[in-house]
Amino acid sequence: MTQPGPPSHLATSSTAPEHNISRPTTAMPPLDAWMHRQQSSGGSNMTAALLAWFEGLPPTLTALRSLAEYRLAPYDRLRQMPNAAESTDDSWPLWSTGPHFEAAHHIVESPSAATTELEGDIAALFTAPLDPRRPPWQLHLIPTTGGFVLLFRAHHALLDGRSIATLLRALFDETAALRPPRVGDAAAADTPSRARQLAWTLGDLLPKARPLPFHGPVDPYRVLSFRQVTRKELDAARVSLRSAASAERASTNAVFLAATAGALRTLGITGRSLPSLPGICALVPVDVRTNEESQLLGNHYATVRVPLPQQRDARERLAAVDSFIRRAAIGARARTQAAVVSSRPRKITPLSNAAGRYVDSPRYFSLLCSSVSTHAGELTLGSARLTAMAAVPPLGPGHPLAVTAIHHGGTSVVTAITDHNHRDLAQPLAERIHDEIRILAN
């Protein structure tokens, strides 16, 4: 395997860690701290992961570690871990930065997996605790029939999904011009009025979601189900919104959310009607990095609650979701929320703990729905070609189900993740979301 330098869009100016012998400590940003206090890095509930499928010969473990030493070592974030020595139950948590990047401890080869057994094998690896003595991340090389899989998992306090994708792409070779994500563009840069920002902030304090029938305690084990959706199917679903009055296509995010709404309706997972709670609500993570911050690691996102309509007609559901996304100024709303969170005083208090439990409650959101596009051309690792990616998010307290979609090249992967007590939900939900996309496409 050749070892060219990092692509220009991933180049950093950080000093190589082997020349950094200090162990500085810094206060965790509020979102990092919230994730950290949900569960320590030795556990599994707050682990996030990204899965990448490749066609072609897998690299040797030695070659992969060598490449990581060259391309990932400059990222200081990969040497950070929670500083237990200087933290107490009521103190603000700290990050400690170690002096060395340890590829041998973080990059491992797992046993070969048959395609039919991959979901179970990935779920078991995802559930395995991260080493509490080292920075909480790990990269697994998993040979499969006709190719291999890379599983990058990390405690969510250390890395969000965009950060994991950035680090994986640092390992890959770009074979086409990078198409940058549309983040913080001129059209979205208008600053909302103070009154609107205040209304958003107050609105985020109100319960807006109907608890689903399965909400409750979450066990530490995970069950995964993947379904691949072709670009042809997705594009056909997007144009189904067009009419004689409008030439607009629905966004991929709207298609995913509308299909999820239809799947929940078809499976009868709609919860009980409560007069004070409007209906099922998806918690949608929105990246708040600007174009200049596109490679910034850590947690840099905010969440927006999107109603999932329950109309019988699939296109009516899609029109309702797409209309909400367009008129709700989701990007501006997320940036306002992120600014409020980052300005919060850094103190651990009973009120802040209660607020943290509240925003994770089923009355705040019904389930997590995350949809991301890679905005990349063809990516390779050595002679192997990246064919698809999938996201595996953590399951928060009280929420034993989450769904995600990652769109890369000609393939999208819908993932349903549950705890073991609700394992019967994973496969039917992933299959039904795919079916709902097909209904929109026809």
Side-chain angles (χ1 to χ4, degrees):
M1 180 186 301
T2 60
Q3 294 186 8
S8 59
H9 70 283
L10 292 173
T12 69
S13 58
S14 300
T15 303
E18 58 267 27
H19 300 299
N20 183 351
I21 61 173
S22 63
R23 293 185 65 86
T25 58
T26 57
M28 290 186 185
L31 196 51
D32 293 6
W34 186 78
M35 295 292 183
H36 169 69
R37 292 186 72 84
Q38 290 289 325
Q39 185 170 322
S40 71
S41 61
S44 61
N45 276 6
M46 296 311 295
T47 301
L50 205 62
L51 191 65
W53 281 268
F54 286 85
E55 287 181 350
L57 293 175
T60 65
L61 180 60
T62 299
L64 184 59
R65 286 174 174 173
S66 178
L67 184 65
E69 286 278 5
Y70 189 71
R71 293 191 173 185
L72 298 186
Y75 292 91
D76 291 347
R77 187 77 177 183
L78 293 180
R79 294 183 288 115
Q80 288 188 323
M81 63 180 295
N83 188 299
E86 299 184 30
S87 297
T88 62
D89 289 341
D90 59 351
S91 67
W92 192 267
L94 306 174
W95 284 122
S96 175
T97 304
H100 301 295
F101 177 85
E102 300 176 305
H105 291 296
H106 292 280
I107 301 172
V108 297
E109 185 169 11
S110 299
S112 298
T115 303
T116 55
E117 300 172 352
L118 186 61
E119 291 174 345
D121 291 345
I122 295 298
L125 287 174
F126 179 73
T127 301
L130 293 160
D131 189 343
R133 301 166 300 175
R134 292 188 167 88
W137 67 274
Q138 198 162 34
L139 177 63
H140 299 263
L141 171 63
I142 309 167
T144 61
T145 304
F148 63 96
V149 166
L150 291 181
L151 174 68
F152 196 125
R153 63 193 187 103
H155 194 283
H156 209 318
L158 184 75
L159 301 170
D160 62 9
R162 174 74 176 273
S163 299
I164 297 176
T166 293
L167 292 167
L168 275 177
R169 284 181 63 178
L171 285 174
F172 305 156
D173 294 319
E174 304 271 359
T175 60
L178 178 69
R179 184 159 60 93
R182 296 182 60 189
V183 178
D185 57 19
D190 295 337
T191 303
S193 68
R194 289 287 184 89
R196 195 174 191 192
Q197 292 183 50
L198 179 60
W200 286 341
T201 302
L202 294 176
D204 284 338
L205 298 176
L206 301 176
K208 289 186 177 179
R210 180 185 300 172
L212 300 181
F214 51 74
H215 279 135
V218 178
D219 70 47
Y221 305 106
R222 300 292 175 261
V223 176
L224 306 177
S225 185
F226 304 114
R227 288 297 176 273
Q228 291 196 2
V229 181
T230 66
R231 172 57 65 87
K232 182 179 179 181
E233 290 173 318
L234 188 61
D235 285 347
R238 293 181 64 191
V239 301
S240 69
L241 196 63
R242 287 179 172 172
S243 65
S246 174
E248 291 282 355
R249 293 193 306 171
S251 66
T252 54
N253 193 27
V255 169
F256 170 62
L257 291 171
T260 300
L264 293 174
R265 182 184 184 280
T266 303
L267 294 173
I269 309 175
T270 55
R272 53 194 179 89
S273 179
L274 296 174
S276 61
L277 301 176
I280 297 175
C281 213
L283 191 73
V284 178
V286 179
D287 190 85
V288 296
R289 296 167 176 87
T290 65
N291 281 335
E292 292 73 22
E293 298 169 335
S294 61
Q295 308 307 319
L296 189 62
L297 303 185
N299 284 285
H300 302 281
Y301 71 95
T303 53
V304 176
R305 287 176 288 177
V306 177
L308 296 184
Q310 292 298 303
Q311 292 103 317
R312 183 180 298 274
D313 185 80
R315 285 174 178 79
E316 289 181 4
R317 289 194 299 270
L318 177 59
V321 172
D322 193 68
S323 175
F324 177 87
I325 290 175
R326 291 178 188 278
R327 71 175 186 272
I330 283 181
R333 185 164 190 157
R335 289 190 290 274
T336 296
Q337 183 190 127
V340 171
V341 171
S342 64
S343 64
R344 190 178 65 187
R346 294 182 174 180
K347 294 180 180 179
I348 302 299
T349 66
L351 179 60
S352 66
N353 284 334
R357 288 193 296 271
Y358 169 74
V359 300
D360 219 20
S361 73
R363 284 181 173 82
Y364 183 79
F365 69 96
S366 304
L367 77 164
L368 174 74
C369 294
S370 178
S371 173
V372 179
S373 296
T374 64
H375 300 283
E378 186 171 289
L379 302 172
T380 60
L381 182 61
S383 60
R385 182 176 66 89
L386 175 65
T387 59
M389 301 181 78
V392 187
L395 297 179
H399 293 275
L401 168 68
V403 290
T404 68
I406 287 194
H407 317 286
H408 171 74
T411 304
S412 298
V413 178
V414 171
T415 304
I417 175 171
T418 72
D419 70 351
H420 195 258
N421 284 337
H422 301 83
R423 55 191 176 276
D424 293 340
L425 284 174
Q427 181 175 336
L429 186 58
E431 289 177 346
R432 191 58 200 166
I433 291 173
H434 191 185
D435 289 343
E436 291 289 334
I437 293 174
R438 288 195 187 106
I439 290 171
L440 288 168
N442 295 325

